[in-house]
Amino acid sequence: MIKKLQKGWRPIFVLLLLFIGWEFTARITEIPTWLLPTPSQIFNELINGWSSVSVHLTSTIKLIFLGFVSGVTVGLLTAFILHNIPFLKESLYPLLILSQNIPIIVLAPLLVIWFGFGLLPKLIVITLVCFFPITISAMDGFRQVAPDLFHYMQMAGATKRQLFWKLELPFALPSIFSGLKISATYSVMGAVISEWLGSENGIGVYMTLSSSSFRTDRVFVAIFLIMLLSLLFFIVINWLERFIIRWKAEEKNRGAS
Amino acid sequence: MELLELQNVSFSYRDKQILNDLNLFIKNGEFVTILGPSGSGKSTIFQLIGGLQSPHTGSIILEGNDITGNRGHISYMPQTPSLLPWRTIIQNVVLGQELKAKKNYKTADEMLQKAGLMEYRNAFPHELSGGMKQRVAFSRALLSPQPIICLDEPFSALDELTRHEMQLWLLSIWEQYKKTIIFVTHNIEESLFLSDRILVLSDKPARIKQEVIVPFSRPRNEELMFSEEFLRHKKMIHDFLKEKVGQE
């Protein structure tokens, strides 16, 4: 914990410097608030407008959570199926990569036309941005199983099923967690974009409303909240990783000391 | 009675003949070593017995049943310890049982006690030294329900002193359990010190060149390695191994 504080002060210090510089430049050059608000104005807006922002915030958090769970489920299932059925892997893998080349901004309005304004099109958008890193990282993890462990399990007579559950899946966990971390940050972006499709509440809605009414300070409140959400989500996944992959964390510590 | 029999087994890989008409048998409770130079197809024999590969001709008989090409009939200890890093020592030890039968923590604990590993019961593999990891790997093989253990050069990665220690340890444990063992090595001393019978393998394509019955009584100790009888046998086997170079 002390170690973390010792290392953690540096980025915080840089951030503070940045804010102070921003505040002074904006004040001295007298930039109008609608063009660029100062950090203190943004902070004031956050405090004063909290009651309305918090409604948007909780709605977005719910959406992120649902979308992330759906993305992780789809991602892991895809990896599981493709890994175990080589024929499907050969025929579907290129399509998976193509799925990531669809511009979400173009796809989103189409999804609204097809599925209406409900939850479904939003979940599809988040799932689409979320599942890919998980699928790729999980499949890589399954594939890279140490050959000597694989050989032992085969010689000892492990069935295909035992090979997967007792060797490949636990072996791939660190790799899967790398994917989860990327997806966690993507899912926040995905949720905000999906809210642009039309929603009653949400940070995305709040952002577009503020932007169209030239409330730049509120736009910045939204930006900072999104960044904070991404960061928090990342930290949660990181913490989960350490909790689940204890043998690896201990290995690292040993190497460091 | 023969526990395991290889009958007229031939195997080639990419047009290269590795085993040619190999015949061998292992009796129940025997400690047999297959001795041969590196790359002579020793590991291939295990892959055939383990069912990872199928011989092109011939069959493999275990307890009267044809197990050619079937997996899971032997327990195995590889050259590297191959412990699962996310499992604690006790969980690793029961892995062999877990794959083929039911986990039995009671026998596993007894085994750890005998192996001198009880204090590491709940440790992870990376906390153990190379020798200790191999002890765990052997304990795992010993507790597996299959009637025969295949050891594939298990001590070749260890330093000389640790290897000696491990050989003594292996014998002391084996003498308590008396399970059938097939041991593969390229080390003459090791084969003489450990086994009841040595099968000297020829170069590729491999066949049994010579069978040596080891006359030393058990239990054996370190003194044996420096006895005249031991050195005489070592020289004899050395000559057997060398002979084939001259032949080709």
Side-chain angles (χ1 to χ4, degrees):
Chain A
M1 194 64 204
I2 294 164
K3 223 177 188 177
K4 252 188 218 166
L5 278 177
Q6 278 171 345
K7 278 190 183 169
W9 69 269
R10 270 172 268 222
I12 291 170
F13 183 70
V14 172
L15 211 60
L16 272 179
L17 265 183
L18 204 72
F19 279 143
I20 291 167
W22 175 359
E23 181 84 37
F24 274 99
T25 333
R27 281 192 184 202
I28 289 165
T29 52
E30 290 177 342
I31 297 174
T33 311
W34 61 267
L35 210 56
L36 181 70
T38 63
S40 59
Q41 284 168 328
I42 297 168
F43 188 70
N44 273 338
E45 179 55 38
L46 175 69
I47 302 292
N48 296 333
W50 178 249
S51 57
S52 69
V53 175
S54 62
V55 179
H56 293 298
L57 195 62
T58 43
S59 159
T60 302
I61 290 175
K62 271 184 209 158
L63 188 61
I64 292 171
F65 184 73
L66 281 178
F68 183 68
V69 168
S70 134
V72 171
T73 315
V74 172
L76 285 180
L77 271 180
T78 316
F80 175 76
I81 292 167
L82 294 195
H83 175 71
N84 286 301
I85 310 173
F87 161 75
L88 280 182
K89 184 178 177 179
E90 280 157 29
S91 36
L92 290 182
Y93 200 75
L95 298 185
L96 272 189
I97 299 168
L98 279 183
S99 79
Q100 294 307 296
N101 295 334
I102 307 170
I104 295 290
I105 302 285
V106 182
L107 183 72
L110 276 180
L111 287 174
V112 174
I113 298 173
W114 295 336
F115 302 109
F117 287 100
L119 188 63
L120 185 63
K122 298 188 182 69
L123 284 187
I124 293 178
V125 167
I126 304 174
T127 306
L128 204 60
V129 285
C130 261
F131 89 98
F132 190 69
I134 295 175
T135 304
I136 297 296
S137 60
M139 278 170 65
D140 273 351
F142 296 151
R143 207 165 38 86
Q144 284 165 0
V145 164
D148 54 338
L149 295 183
F150 197 79
H151 182 71
Y152 167 75
M153 291 294 272
Q154 281 193 315
M155 283 296 274
T159 60
K160 225 184 155 204
R161 199 193 207 145
Q162 287 172 327
L163 269 177
F164 182 79
W165 290 106
K166 294 188 194 300
L167 178 63
E168 287 170 332
L169 184 65
F171 195 92
L173 272 180
S175 173
I176 290 175
F177 265 102
S178 309
L180 283 179
K181 281 184 220 163
I182 298 172
S183 287
T185 46
Y186 280 13
S187 70
V188 177
M189 277 314 294
V192 172
I193 291 173
S194 76
E195 281 167 351
W196 292 347
L197 297 179
S199 185
E200 278 173 40
N201 293 313
I203 295 294
V205 179
Y206 175 79
M207 205 175 190
T208 32
L209 284 181
S210 315
S211 167
S212 55
S213 57
F214 291 96
R215 288 299 302 267
T216 316
D217 49 347
R218 288 189 179 168
V219 174
F220 272 98
V221 168
I223 292 174
F224 284 131
L225 284 178
I226 291 168
M227 285 162 69
L228 199 70
L229 273 185
S230 294
L231 187 68
L232 279 179
F233 205 7
F234 188 86
I235 290 172
V236 168
I237 303 280
N238 223 349
W239 178 80
L240 259 181
E241 180 185 19
R242 248 187 245 175
F243 184 72
I244 291 175
I245 312 178
R246 289 216 310 273
W247 51 277
K248 196 94 179 177
E250 278 165 38
E251 231 168 22
K252 265 186 217 151
N253 280 344
R254 216 169 109 99
S257 62
Chain B
M1 191 209 137
E2 278 92 33
L3 181 69
L4 179 82
E5 234 185 313
L6 268 65
Q7 298 173 338
N8 311 103
V9 169
S10 300
F11 181 77
S12 11
Y13 181 71
R14 287 189 186 154
D15 296 333
K16 208 170 174 206
Q17 190 150 46
I18 294 169
L19 304 177
N20 186 20
D21 207 24
L22 183 84
N23 285 288
L24 65 87
F25 66 92
I26 316 285
K27 288 201 197 103
N28 203 354
E30 238 186 340
F31 194 132
V32 177
T33 296
I34 298 174
L35 180 73
S38 306
S40 60
K42 292 172 299 196
S43 296
T44 309
I45 296 177
F46 275 176
Q47 291 193 7
L48 292 172
I49 299 173
L52 263 56
Q53 309 272 6
S54 281
H56 293 169
T57 60
S59 44
I60 298 159
I61 315 283
L62 180 76
E63 293 176 314
N65 303 312
D66 191 333
I67 59 154
T68 317
N70 286 338
R71 286 186 194 172
H73 292 282
I74 52 147
S75 85
Y76 179 63
M77 176 181 179
Q79 197 168 348
T80 57
S82 304
L83 306 176
L84 303 184
W86 50 87
R87 286 181 173 230
T88 57
I89 296 310
I90 180 76
Q91 284 174 320
N92 263 297
V93 168
V94 296
L95 179 65
Q97 297 180 332
E98 198 181 316
L99 292 177
K100 300 308 288 180
K102 269 227 136 77
K103 284 186 263 192
N104 186 341
Y105 284 108
K106 205 170 149 263
T107 54
D109 275 335
E110 281 168 22
M111 178 75 227
L112 283 185
Q113 196 80 51
K114 278 180 192 159
L117 290 162
M118 207 50 190
E119 55 177 316
Y120 295 99
R121 187 182 188 276
N122 298 315
F124 285 101
H126 66 84
E127 297 169 55
L128 272 62
S129 69
M132 283 198 281
K133 280 186 208 167
Q134 283 297 37
R135 286 185 200 199
V136 178
F138 182 69
S139 307
R140 176 178 64 183
L142 203 57
L143 283 178
S144 299
Q146 294 94 337
I148 199 160
I149 307 178
C150 295
L151 304 168
D152 192 356
E153 304 197 33
F155 306 143
S156 59
L158 301 173
D159 63 86
E160 182 88 17
L161 271 175
T162 318
R163 194 185 320 144
H164 267 302
E165 223 173 83
M166 286 297 296
Q167 287 163 354
L168 281 167
W169 176 85
L170 178 71
L171 278 188
S172 72
I173 296 285
W174 180 72
E175 271 152 17
Q176 294 174 49
Y177 283 82
K178 286 283 179 196
K179 252 197 165 182
T180 314
I181 286 185
I182 314 179
F183 192 99
V184 154
T185 185
H186 56 251
N187 187 325
I188 302 175
E189 241 175 54
E190 186 168 76
S191 68
L192 266 175
F193 185 63
L194 294 174
S195 47
D196 298 320
R197 195 150 60 89
I198 301 172
L199 305 171
V200 183
L201 221 57
S202 73
D203 223 333
K204 270 176 200 162
R207 54 194 175 74
I208 307 293
K209 186 159 187 49
Q210 191 76 40
E211 182 184 66
V212 179
I213 311 278
V214 181
F216 312 122
S217 64
R218 295 182 193 273
R220 297 174 184 170
N221 56 36
E222 274 171 295
E223 297 300 304
L224 175 68
M225 285 204 209
F226 305 104
S227 71
E228 212 169 298
E229 185 77 354
F230 191 89
L231 293 174
R232 203 173 57 76
H233 273 84
K234 188 177 165 186
K235 169 99 176 59
M236 182 178 81
I237 294 173
H238 183 78
D239 290 343
F240 285 145
L241 274 172
K242 242 170 91 178
E243 233 172 68
K244 113 196 81 195
V245 181
Q247 266 181 1
E248 278 185 43

